[in-house]
Amino acid sequence: MKNTLLIVILFSFIGCTQENPKFDKIIYKTTSCFGTCPTYYLQINSDKTFQLFAEEVFKDDFSIYGYELDSSKMGYFKGKLDDTTFQNLNKKIQKISEPNYKYYNDGFITDTPTITLVIQRGGDKTCYQTNYPTDNFRIHVLNFLNKICKGTTAKGEKFKTDYKFDCY
């Protein structure tokens, strides 16, 4: 009896510490703007691997008279998220998946990129697309994904990035 109870407690503890992914695949895409907005296409899989196509990335030390592309940060990349980053991503996906979560502001701003986030779970896809994200969505989700895009990665192979997103 004691052994059975010990096994149940042990499996309960393991089940609480290992978080299953809340998605099969995430696709995050940004478009350019009139300034120095980077153009990213990021695909994160449930096995923690990701592929990134950084089409346009500007140098941080640009002047107001000229923007300079940073070719060392552009191209195809691949990587794997560490456990902590992956758990944080799962929590963020869970948060924005709650009913009535508002990710966009009403209205339209012309000098901002179009942000597209697609979360695939089995055959279902949830699409978030906006030019005017809420502060919460920007701070908690978009900044997090941009940090992944700007992180250290290895050069990768070319992959398909021309998916058509039917968000509306």
Side-chain angles (χ1 to χ4, degrees), residues 105-129:
N105 287 306
D106 295 325
F108 185 78
I109 298 179
T110 58
D111 188 22
T112 60
T114 299
I115 306 295
T116 305
L117 177 63
V118 178
I119 301 170
Q120 184 175 328
R121 296 175 190 94
D124 296 331
K125 290 182 182 177
T126 305
C127 188
Y128 304 87
Q129 190 172 54

mmCIF file with all atom_site columns, all heavy atoms in Angstrom, residues 105-129:
data_model
loop_
_atom_site.group_PDB
_atom_site.id
_atom_site.type_symbol
_atom_site.label_atom_id
_atom_site.label_alt_id
_atom_site.label_comp_id
_atom_site.label_asym_id
_atom_site.label_entity_id
_atom_site.label_seq_id
_atom_site.pdbx_PDB_ins_code
_atom_site.Cartn_x
_atom_site.Cartn_y
_atom_site.Cartn_z
_atom_site.occupancy
_atom_site.B_iso_or_equiv
_atom_site.pdbx_formal_charge
_atom_site.auth_seq_id
_atom_site.auth_comp_id
_atom_site.auth_asym_id
_atom_site.auth_atom_id
_atom_site.pdbx_PDB_model_num
ATOM 1   N N   . ASN A 1 105 ? -6.177  46.571 -31.063 1.00 0.00 ? 105 ASN A N   1
ATOM 2   C CA  . ASN A 1 105 ? -6.913  47.801 -30.772 1.00 0.00 ? 105 ASN A CA  1
ATOM 3   C C   . ASN A 1 105 ? -7.779  48.122 -31.974 1.00 0.00 ? 105 ASN A C   1
ATOM 4   O O   . ASN A 1 105 ? -7.415  47.810 -33.112 1.00 0.00 ? 105 ASN A O   1
ATOM 5   C CB  . ASN A 1 105 ? -5.948  48.966 -30.521 1.00 0.00 ? 105 ASN A CB  1
ATOM 6   C CG  . ASN A 1 105 ? -5.244  48.854 -29.193 1.00 0.00 ? 105 ASN A CG  1
ATOM 7   O OD1 . ASN A 1 105 ? -5.883  48.726 -28.158 1.00 0.00 ? 105 ASN A OD1 1
ATOM 8   N ND2 . ASN A 1 105 ? -3.924  48.886 -29.217 1.00 0.00 ? 105 ASN A ND2 1
ATOM 9   N N   . ASP A 1 106 ? -8.905  48.747 -31.720 1.00 0.00 ? 106 ASP A N   1
ATOM 10  C CA  . ASP A 1 106 ? -9.740  49.194 -32.831 1.00 0.00 ? 106 ASP A CA  1
ATOM 11  C C   . ASP A 1 106 ? -9.026  50.337 -33.542 1.00 0.00 ? 106 ASP A C   1
ATOM 12  O O   . ASP A 1 106 ? -8.301  51.108 -32.933 1.00 0.00 ? 106 ASP A O   1
ATOM 13  C CB  . ASP A 1 106 ? -11.107 49.653 -32.314 1.00 0.00 ? 106 ASP A CB  1
ATOM 14  C CG  . ASP A 1 106 ? -11.899 48.499 -31.714 1.00 0.00 ? 106 ASP A CG  1
ATOM 15  O OD1 . ASP A 1 106 ? -11.783 47.370 -32.224 1.00 0.00 ? 106 ASP A OD1 1
ATOM 16  O OD2 . ASP A 1 106 ? -12.614 48.727 -30.729 1.00 0.00 ? 106 ASP A OD2 1
ATOM 17  N N   . GLY A 1 107 ? -9.232  50.433 -34.817 1.00 0.00 ? 107 GLY A N   1
ATOM 18  C CA  . GLY A 1 107 ? -8.575  51.478 -35.601 1.00 0.00 ? 107 GLY A CA  1
ATOM 19  C C   . GLY A 1 107 ? -7.463  50.888 -36.434 1.00 0.00 ? 107 GLY A C   1
ATOM 20  O O   . GLY A 1 107 ? -7.243  49.678 -36.476 1.00 0.00 ? 107 GLY A O   1
ATOM 21  N N   . PHE A 1 108 ? -6.743  51.774 -37.088 1.00 0.00 ? 108 PHE A N   1
ATOM 22  C CA  . PHE A 1 108 ? -5.687  51.336 -37.993 1.00 0.00 ? 108 PHE A CA  1
ATOM 23  C C   . PHE A 1 108 ? -4.558  52.348 -37.943 1.00 0.00 ? 108 PHE A C   1
ATOM 24  O O   . PHE A 1 108 ? -4.786  53.550 -37.977 1.00 0.00 ? 108 PHE A O   1
ATOM 25  C CB  . PHE A 1 108 ? -6.257  51.239 -39.416 1.00 0.00 ? 108 PHE A CB  1
ATOM 26  C CG  . PHE A 1 108 ? -5.289  50.679 -40.414 1.00 0.00 ? 108 PHE A CG  1
ATOM 27  C CD1 . PHE A 1 108 ? -5.055  49.322 -40.485 1.00 0.00 ? 108 PHE A CD1 1
ATOM 28  C CD2 . PHE A 1 108 ? -4.616  51.518 -41.279 1.00 0.00 ? 108 PHE A CD2 1
ATOM 29  C CE1 . PHE A 1 108 ? -4.167  48.807 -41.406 1.00 0.00 ? 108 PHE A CE1 1
ATOM 30  C CE2 . PHE A 1 108 ? -3.730  51.010 -42.201 1.00 0.00 ? 108 PHE A CE2 1
ATOM 31  C CZ  . PHE A 1 108 ? -3.502  49.642 -42.266 1.00 0.00 ? 108 PHE A CZ  1
ATOM 32  N N   . ILE A 1 109 ? -3.345  51.859 -37.865 1.00 0.00 ? 109 ILE A N   1
ATOM 33  C CA  . ILE A 1 109 ? -2.166  52.718 -37.915 1.00 0.00 ? 109 ILE A CA  1
ATOM 34  C C   . ILE A 1 109 ? -1.405  52.340 -39.171 1.00 0.00 ? 109 ILE A C   1
ATOM 35  O O   . ILE A 1 109 ? -1.178  51.159 -39.444 1.00 0.00 ? 109 ILE A O   1
ATOM 36  C CB  . ILE A 1 109 ? -1.285  52.526 -36.670 1.00 0.00 ? 109 ILE A CB  1
ATOM 37  C CG1 . ILE A 1 109 ? -2.073  52.934 -35.430 1.00 0.00 ? 109 ILE A CG1 1
ATOM 38  C CG2 . ILE A 1 109 ? -0.011  53.321 -36.774 1.00 0.00 ? 109 ILE A CG2 1
ATOM 39  C CD1 . ILE A 1 109 ? -1.311  52.771 -34.149 1.00 0.00 ? 109 ILE A CD1 1
ATOM 40  N N   . THR A 1 110 ? -0.976  53.326 -39.942 1.00 0.00 ? 110 THR A N   1
ATOM 41  C CA  . THR A 1 110 ? -0.370  53.024 -41.239 1.00 0.00 ? 110 THR A CA  1
ATOM 42  C C   . THR A 1 110 ? 1.116   52.706 -41.177 1.00 0.00 ? 110 THR A C   1
ATOM 43  O O   . THR A 1 110 ? 1.627   52.015 -42.030 1.00 0.00 ? 110 THR A O   1
ATOM 44  C CB  . THR A 1 110 ? -0.578  54.198 -42.212 1.00 0.00 ? 110 THR A CB  1
ATOM 45  O OG1 . THR A 1 110 ? 0.001   55.371 -41.641 1.00 0.00 ? 110 THR A OG1 1
ATOM 46  C CG2 . THR A 1 110 ? -2.036  54.404 -42.506 1.00 0.00 ? 110 THR A CG2 1
ATOM 47  N N   . ASP A 1 111 ? 1.841   53.194 -40.187 1.00 0.00 ? 111 ASP A N   1
ATOM 48  C CA  . ASP A 1 111 ? 3.284   52.986 -40.161 1.00 0.00 ? 111 ASP A CA  1
ATOM 49  C C   . ASP A 1 111 ? 3.687   51.904 -39.163 1.00 0.00 ? 111 ASP A C   1
ATOM 50  O O   . ASP A 1 111 ? 4.597   52.075 -38.375 1.00 0.00 ? 111 ASP A O   1
ATOM 51  C CB  . ASP A 1 111 ? 4.007   54.302 -39.838 1.00 0.00 ? 111 ASP A CB  1
ATOM 52  C CG  . ASP A 1 111 ? 5.511   54.159 -39.994 1.00 0.00 ? 111 ASP A CG  1
ATOM 53  O OD1 . ASP A 1 111 ? 5.948   53.251 -40.718 1.00 0.00 ? 111 ASP A OD1 1
ATOM 54  O OD2 . ASP A 1 111 ? 6.253   54.941 -39.379 1.00 0.00 ? 111 ASP A OD2 1
ATOM 55  N N   . THR A 1 112 ? 2.999   50.796 -39.213 1.00 0.00 ? 112 THR A N   1
ATOM 56  C CA  . THR A 1 112 ? 3.342   49.665 -38.355 1.00 0.00 ? 112 THR A CA  1
ATOM 57  C C   . THR A 1 112 ? 3.311   48.393 -39.196 1.00 0.00 ? 112 THR A C   1
ATOM 58  O O   . THR A 1 112 ? 2.612   48.323 -40.206 1.00 0.00 ? 112 THR A O   1
ATOM 59  C CB  . THR A 1 112 ? 2.355   49.506 -37.184 1.00 0.00 ? 112 THR A CB  1
ATOM 60  O OG1 . THR A 1 112 ? 1.047   49.292 -37.710 1.00 0.00 ? 112 THR A OG1 1
ATOM 61  C CG2 . THR A 1 112 ? 2.370   50.721 -36.283 1.00 0.00 ? 112 THR A CG2 1
ATOM 62  N N   . PRO A 1 113 ? 4.051   47.404 -38.794 1.00 0.00 ? 113 PRO A N   1
ATOM 63  C CA  . PRO A 1 113 ? 4.005   46.145 -39.542 1.00 0.00 ? 113 PRO A CA  1
ATOM 64  C C   . PRO A 1 113 ? 2.695   45.405 -39.275 1.00 0.00 ? 113 PRO A C   1
ATOM 65  O O   . PRO A 1 113 ? 2.041   45.624 -38.263 1.00 0.00 ? 113 PRO A O   1
ATOM 66  C CB  . PRO A 1 113 ? 5.185   45.365 -38.980 1.00 0.00 ? 113 PRO A CB  1
ATOM 67  C CG  . PRO A 1 113 ? 5.397   45.917 -37.617 1.00 0.00 ? 113 PRO A CG  1
ATOM 68  C CD  . PRO A 1 113 ? 4.998   47.366 -37.686 1.00 0.00 ? 113 PRO A CD  1
ATOM 69  N N   . THR A 1 114 ? 2.340   44.546 -40.184 1.00 0.00 ? 114 THR A N   1
ATOM 70  C CA  . THR A 1 114 ? 1.234   43.632 -39.938 1.00 0.00 ? 114 THR A CA  1
ATOM 71  C C   . THR A 1 114 ? 1.819   42.441 -39.195 1.00 0.00 ? 114 THR A C   1
ATOM 72  O O   . THR A 1 114 ? 2.799   41.843 -39.627 1.00 0.00 ? 114 THR A O   1
ATOM 73  C CB  . THR A 1 114 ? 0.586   43.170 -41.256 1.00 0.00 ? 114 THR A CB  1
ATOM 74  O OG1 . THR A 1 114 ? 0.072   44.318 -41.939 1.00 0.00 ? 114 THR A OG1 1
ATOM 75  C CG2 . THR A 1 114 ? -0.534  42.178 -40.997 1.00 0.00 ? 114 THR A CG2 1
ATOM 76  N N   . ILE A 1 115 ? 1.234   42.124 -38.066 1.00 0.00 ? 115 ILE A N   1
ATOM 77  C CA  . ILE A 1 115 ? 1.670   41.020 -37.223 1.00 0.00 ? 115 ILE A CA  1
ATOM 78  C C   . ILE A 1 115 ? 0.687   39.870 -37.424 1.00 0.00 ? 115 ILE A C   1
ATOM 79  O O   . ILE A 1 115 ? -0.523  40.059 -37.301 1.00 0.00 ? 115 ILE A O   1
ATOM 80  C CB  . ILE A 1 115 ? 1.661   41.420 -35.731 1.00 0.00 ? 115 ILE A CB  1
ATOM 81  C CG1 . ILE A 1 115 ? 2.478   42.677 -35.480 1.00 0.00 ? 115 ILE A CG1 1
ATOM 82  C CG2 . ILE A 1 115 ? 2.080   40.260 -34.856 1.00 0.00 ? 115 ILE A CG2 1
ATOM 83  C CD1 . ILE A 1 115 ? 3.940   42.548 -35.746 1.00 0.00 ? 115 ILE A CD1 1
ATOM 84  N N   . THR A 1 116 ? 1.207   38.695 -37.733 1.00 0.00 ? 116 THR A N   1
ATOM 85  C CA  . THR A 1 116 ? 0.373   37.505 -37.874 1.00 0.00 ? 116 THR A CA  1
ATOM 86  C C   . THR A 1 116 ? 0.929   36.420 -36.963 1.00 0.00 ? 116 THR A C   1
ATOM 87  O O   . THR A 1 116 ? 2.128   36.140 -36.991 1.00 0.00 ? 116 THR A O   1
ATOM 88  C CB  . THR A 1 116 ? 0.362   37.002 -39.326 1.00 0.00 ? 116 THR A CB  1
ATOM 89  O OG1 . THR A 1 116 ? -0.045  38.062 -40.195 1.00 0.00 ? 116 THR A OG1 1
ATOM 90  C CG2 . THR A 1 116 ? -0.584  35.817 -39.483 1.00 0.00 ? 116 THR A CG2 1
ATOM 91  N N   . LEU A 1 117 ? 0.068   35.842 -36.162 1.00 0.00 ? 117 LEU A N   1
ATOM 92  C CA  . LEU A 1 117 ? 0.427   34.736 -35.288 1.00 0.00 ? 117 LEU A CA  1
ATOM 93  C C   . LEU A 1 117 ? -0.602  33.638 -35.507 1.00 0.00 ? 117 LEU A C   1
ATOM 94  O O   . LEU A 1 117 ? -1.799  33.853 -35.314 1.00 0.00 ? 117 LEU A O   1
ATOM 95  C CB  . LEU A 1 117 ? 0.430   35.179 -33.822 1.00 0.00 ? 117 LEU A CB  1
ATOM 96  C CG  . LEU A 1 117 ? 0.730   34.111 -32.780 1.00 0.00 ? 117 LEU A CG  1
ATOM 97  C CD1 . LEU A 1 117 ? 2.145   33.556 -32.961 1.00 0.00 ? 117 LEU A CD1 1
ATOM 98  C CD2 . LEU A 1 117 ? 0.558   34.669 -31.376 1.00 0.00 ? 117 LEU A CD2 1
ATOM 99  N N   . VAL A 1 118 ? -0.127  32.462 -35.943 1.00 0.00 ? 118 VAL A N   1
ATOM 100 C CA  . VAL A 1 118 ? -1.005  31.328 -36.184 1.00 0.00 ? 118 VAL A CA  1
ATOM 101 C C   . VAL A 1 118 ? -0.608  30.221 -35.217 1.00 0.00 ? 118 VAL A C   1
ATOM 102 O O   . VAL A 1 118 ? 0.559   29.843 -35.144 1.00 0.00 ? 118 VAL A O   1
ATOM 103 C CB  . VAL A 1 118 ? -0.892  30.824 -37.643 1.00 0.00 ? 118 VAL A CB  1
ATOM 104 C CG1 . VAL A 1 118 ? -1.778  29.603 -37.860 1.00 0.00 ? 118 VAL A CG1 1
ATOM 105 C CG2 . VAL A 1 118 ? -1.239  31.931 -38.627 1.00 0.00 ? 118 VAL A CG2 1
ATOM 106 N N   . ILE A 1 119 ? -1.593  29.720 -34.480 1.00 0.00 ? 119 ILE A N   1
ATOM 107 C CA  . ILE A 1 119 ? -1.364  28.620 -33.541 1.00 0.00 ? 119 ILE A CA  1
ATOM 108 C C   . ILE A 1 119 ? -2.129  27.418 -34.064 1.00 0.00 ? 119 ILE A C   1
ATOM 109 O O   . ILE A 1 119 ? -3.349  27.467 -34.210 1.00 0.00 ? 119 ILE A O   1
ATOM 110 C CB  . ILE A 1 119 ? -1.831  28.997 -32.122 1.00 0.00 ? 119 ILE A CB  1
ATOM 111 C CG1 . ILE A 1 119 ? -1.085  30.240 -31.653 1.00 0.00 ? 119 ILE A CG1 1
ATOM 112 C CG2 . ILE A 1 119 ? -1.611  27.827 -31.172 1.00 0.00 ? 119 ILE A CG2 1
ATOM 113 C CD1 . ILE A 1 119 ? -1.627  30.839 -30.398 1.00 0.00 ? 119 ILE A CD1 1
ATOM 114 N N   . GLN A 1 120 ? -1.397  26.365 -34.354 1.00 0.00 ? 120 GLN A N   1
ATOM 115 C CA  . GLN A 1 120 ? -2.000  25.153 -34.891 1.00 0.00 ? 120 GLN A CA  1
ATOM 116 C C   . GLN A 1 120 ? -2.049  24.082 -33.815 1.00 0.00 ? 120 GLN A C   1
ATOM 117 O O   . GLN A 1 120 ? -1.045  23.790 -33.172 1.00 0.00 ? 120 GLN A O   1
ATOM 118 C CB  . GLN A 1 120 ? -1.178  24.653 -36.075 1.00 0.00 ? 120 GLN A CB  1
ATOM 119 C CG  . GLN A 1 120 ? -1.781  23.463 -36.757 1.00 0.00 ? 120 GLN A CG  1
ATOM 120 C CD  . GLN A 1 120 ? -1.012  23.080 -38.000 1.00 0.00 ? 120 GLN A CD  1
ATOM 121 O OE1 . GLN A 1 120 ? -0.440  23.905 -38.679 1.00 0.00 ? 120 GLN A OE1 1
ATOM 122 N NE2 . GLN A 1 120 ? -0.992  21.796 -38.288 1.00 0.00 ? 120 GLN A NE2 1
ATOM 123 N N   . ARG A 1 121 ? -3.254  23.563 -33.620 1.00 0.00 ? 121 ARG A N   1
ATOM 124 C CA  . ARG A 1 121 ? -3.488  22.463 -32.673 1.00 0.00 ? 121 ARG A CA  1
ATOM 125 C C   . ARG A 1 121 ? -4.249  21.399 -33.428 1.00 0.00 ? 121 ARG A C   1
ATOM 126 O O   . ARG A 1 121 ? -5.434  21.573 -33.695 1.00 0.00 ? 121 ARG A O   1
ATOM 127 C CB  . ARG A 1 121 ? -4.316  22.939 -31.490 1.00 0.00 ? 121 ARG A CB  1
ATOM 128 C CG  . ARG A 1 121 ? -3.665  23.975 -30.630 1.00 0.00 ? 121 ARG A CG  1
ATOM 129 C CD  . ARG A 1 121 ? -4.666  24.447 -29.555 1.00 0.00 ? 121 ARG A CD  1
ATOM 130 N NE  . ARG A 1 121 ? -4.191  25.595 -28.854 1.00 0.00 ? 121 ARG A NE  1
ATOM 131 C CZ  . ARG A 1 121 ? -4.485  26.865 -29.165 1.00 0.00 ? 121 ARG A CZ  1
ATOM 132 N NH1 . ARG A 1 121 ? -5.248  27.127 -30.190 1.00 0.00 ? 121 ARG A NH1 1
ATOM 133 N NH2 . ARG A 1 121 ? -4.003  27.856 -28.458 1.00 0.00 ? 121 ARG A NH2 1
ATOM 134 N N   . GLY A 1 122 ? -3.569  20.308 -33.774 1.00 0.00 ? 122 GLY A N   1
ATOM 135 C CA  . GLY A 1 122 ? -4.219  19.281 -34.583 1.00 0.00 ? 122 GLY A CA  1
ATOM 136 C C   . GLY A 1 122 ? -4.623  19.890 -35.912 1.00 0.00 ? 122 GLY A C   1
ATOM 137 O O   . GLY A 1 122 ? -3.826  20.542 -36.570 1.00 0.00 ? 122 GLY A O   1
ATOM 138 N N   . GLY A 1 123 ? -5.863  19.691 -36.308 1.00 0.00 ? 123 GLY A N   1
ATOM 139 C CA  . GLY A 1 123 ? -6.358  20.265 -37.555 1.00 0.00 ? 123 GLY A CA  1
ATOM 140 C C   . GLY A 1 123 ? -6.889  21.683 -37.410 1.00 0.00 ? 123 GLY A C   1
ATOM 141 O O   . GLY A 1 123 ? -7.282  22.307 -38.383 1.00 0.00 ? 123 GLY A O   1
ATOM 142 N N   . ASP A 1 124 ? -6.934  22.194 -36.172 1.00 0.00 ? 124 ASP A N   1
ATOM 143 C CA  . ASP A 1 124 ? -7.470  23.531 -35.925 1.00 0.00 ? 124 ASP A CA  1
ATOM 144 C C   . ASP A 1 124 ? -6.365  24.573 -35.953 1.00 0.00 ? 124 ASP A C   1
ATOM 145 O O   . ASP A 1 124 ? -5.256  24.333 -35.471 1.00 0.00 ? 124 ASP A O   1
ATOM 146 C CB  . ASP A 1 124 ? -8.163  23.597 -34.563 1.00 0.00 ? 124 ASP A CB  1
ATOM 147 C CG  . ASP A 1 124 ? -9.383  22.703 -34.491 1.00 0.00 ? 124 ASP A CG  1
ATOM 148 O OD1 . ASP A 1 124 ? -10.012 22.475 -35.541 1.00 0.00 ? 124 ASP A OD1 1
ATOM 149 O OD2 . ASP A 1 124 ? -9.693  22.224 -33.389 1.00 0.00 ? 124 ASP A OD2 1
ATOM 150 N N   . LYS A 1 125 ? -6.699  25.735 -36.496 1.00 0.00 ? 125 LYS A N   1
ATOM 151 C CA  . LYS A 1 125 ? -5.760  26.863 -36.495 1.00 0.00 ? 125 LYS A CA  1
ATOM 152 C C   . LYS A 1 125 ? -6.463  28.076 -35.914 1.00 0.00 ? 125 LYS A C   1
ATOM 153 O O   . LYS A 1 125 ? -7.608  28.353 -36.246 1.00 0.00 ? 125 LYS A O   1
ATOM 154 C CB  . LYS A 1 125 ? -5.298  27.197 -37.911 1.00 0.00 ? 125 LYS A CB  1
ATOM 155 C CG  . LYS A 1 125 ? -4.402  26.169 -38.524 1.00 0.00 ? 125 LYS A CG  1
ATOM 156 C CD  . LYS A 1 125 ? -3.953  26.607 -39.902 1.00 0.00 ? 125 LYS A CD  1
ATOM 157 C CE  . LYS A 1 125 ? -3.085  25.523 -40.512 1.00 0.00 ? 125 LYS A CE  1
ATOM 158 N NZ  . LYS A 1 125 ? -2.681  25.861 -41.864 1.00 0.00 ? 125 LYS A NZ  1
ATOM 159 N N   . THR A 1 126 ? -5.750  28.770 -35.038 1.00 0.00 ? 126 THR A N   1
ATOM 160 C CA  . THR A 1 126 ? -6.240  30.035 -34.515 1.00 0.00 ? 126 THR A CA  1
ATOM 161 C C   . THR A 1 126 ? -5.310  31.107 -35.043 1.00 0.00 ? 126 THR A C   1
ATOM 162 O O   . THR A 1 126 ? -4.091  30.993 -34.913 1.00 0.00 ? 126 THR A O   1
ATOM 163 C CB  . THR A 1 126 ? -6.234  30.043 -32.974 1.00 0.00 ? 126 THR A CB  1
ATOM 164 O OG1 . THR A 1 126 ? -6.978  28.923 -32.504 1.00 0.00 ? 126 THR A OG1 1
ATOM 165 C CG2 . THR A 1 126 ? -6.839  31.332 -32.438 1.00 0.00 ? 126 THR A CG2 1
ATOM 166 N N   . CYS A 1 127 ? -5.889  32.137 -35.641 1.00 0.00 ? 127 CYS A N   1
ATOM 167 C CA  . CYS A 1 127 ? -5.092  33.172 -36.286 1.00 0.00 ? 127 CYS A CA  1
ATOM 168 C C   . CYS A 1 127 ? -5.324  34.522 -35.613 1.00 0.00 ? 127 CYS A C   1
ATOM 169 O O   . CYS A 1 127 ? -6.465  34.922 -35.385 1.00 0.00 ? 127 CYS A O   1
ATOM 170 C CB  . CYS A 1 127 ? -5.472  33.248 -37.762 1.00 0.00 ? 127 CYS A CB  1
ATOM 171 S SG  . CYS A 1 127 ? -4.411  34.316 -38.733 1.00 0.00 ? 127 CYS A SG  1
ATOM 172 N N   . TYR A 1 128 ? -4.233  35.187 -35.273 1.00 0.00 ? 128 TYR A N   1
ATOM 173 C CA  . TYR A 1 128 ? -4.262  36.530 -34.711 1.00 0.00 ? 128 TYR A CA  1
ATOM 174 C C   . TYR A 1 128 ? -3.520  37.420 -35.702 1.00 0.00 ? 128 TYR A C   1
ATOM 175 O O   . TYR A 1 128 ? -2.348  37.178 -35.979 1.00 0.00 ? 128 TYR A O   1
ATOM 176 C CB  . TYR A 1 128 ? -3.536  36.570 -33.364 1.00 0.00 ? 128 TYR A CB  1
ATOM 177 C CG  . TYR A 1 128 ? -4.052  35.589 -32.349 1.00 0.00 ? 128 TYR A CG  1
ATOM 178 C CD1 . TYR A 1 128 ? -3.566  34.289 -32.309 1.00 0.00 ? 128 TYR A CD1 1
ATOM 179 C CD2 . TYR A 1 128 ? -5.028  35.953 -31.433 1.00 0.00 ? 128 TYR A CD2 1
ATOM 180 C CE1 . TYR A 1 128 ? -4.033  33.370 -31.382 1.00 0.00 ? 128 TYR A CE1 1
ATOM 181 C CE2 . TYR A 1 128 ? -5.500  35.044 -30.497 1.00 0.00 ? 128 TYR A CE2 1
ATOM 182 C CZ  . TYR A 1 128 ? -5.002  33.752 -30.487 1.00 0.00 ? 128 TYR A CZ  1
ATOM 183 O OH  . TYR A 1 128 ? -5.475  32.855 -29.568 1.00 0.00 ? 128 TYR A OH  1
ATOM 184 N N   . GLN A 1 129 ? -4.210  38.421 -36.233 1.00 0.00 ? 129 GLN A N   1
ATOM 185 C CA  . GLN A 1 129 ? -3.559  39.317 -37.188 1.00 0.00 ? 129 GLN A CA  1
ATOM 186 C C   . GLN A 1 129 ? -3.984  40.750 -36.905 1.00 0.00 ? 129 GLN A C   1
ATOM 187 O O   . GLN A 1 129 ? -5.170  41.027 -36.757 1.00 0.00 ? 129 GLN A O   1
ATOM 188 C CB  . GLN A 1 129 ? -3.911  38.934 -38.621 1.00 0.00 ? 129 GLN A CB  1
ATOM 189 C CG  . GLN A 1 129 ? -3.084  39.664 -39.658 1.00 0.00 ? 129 GLN A CG  1
ATOM 190 C CD  . GLN A 1 129 ? -3.320  39.112 -41.046 1.00 0.00 ? 129 GLN A CD  1
ATOM 191 O OE1 . GLN A 1 129 ? -4.459  39.041 -41.497 1.00 0.00 ? 129 GLN A OE1 1
ATOM 192 N NE2 . GLN A 1 129 ? -2.253  38.716 -41.718 1.00 0.00 ? 129 GLN A NE2 1
#
